Amino acid sequence: MVTSEPDSVRVKAVNGQWIVRVVDGGRLTQQVFDIQAQAEIFAEEERLRLGLPGEPPAGEPVGPLRRGRVP
């Protein structure tokens, strides 16, 4: 149990595998995948189930936020 953590879904690369960590109502579960795409699909399904916002895929850098007008 991780009762102090809010519901969340995270994807992390570890030793060539992809781990999806899900906190749901204070309960932690983890699912291990060999293929990143499968992990990302599972994570997105879990986010939808829990009513959480989507996140960028793991391992892809998120660029800096732009300020001002975009030409």
Side-chain angles (χ1 to χ4, degrees):
M1 296 287 279
V2 286
T3 56
S4 62
E5 283 192 46
D7 290 353
S8 63
V9 178
R10 296 190 180 110
V11 180
K12 184 175 182 178
V14 177
N15 296 326
Q17 293 183 310
W18 297 89
I19 298 174
V20 180
R21 182 181 187 271
V22 179
V23 176
D24 179 4
R27 184 169 181 217
L28 171 66
T29 57
Q30 295 186 117
Q31 185 79 24
V32 179
F33 295 86
D34 291 324
I35 300 170
Q36 180 183 8
Q38 292 175 343
E40 297 291 351
I41 290 168
F42 177 78
E44 189 58 28
E45 289 171 350
E46 289 296 291
R47 287 185 191 104
L48 288 171
R49 182 179 67 79
L50 294 171
L52 299 172
E55 293 186 11
E60 291 186 14
V62 177
L65 296 176
R66 288 183 163 184
R67 294 186 180 197
R69 286 184 22 178
V70 177

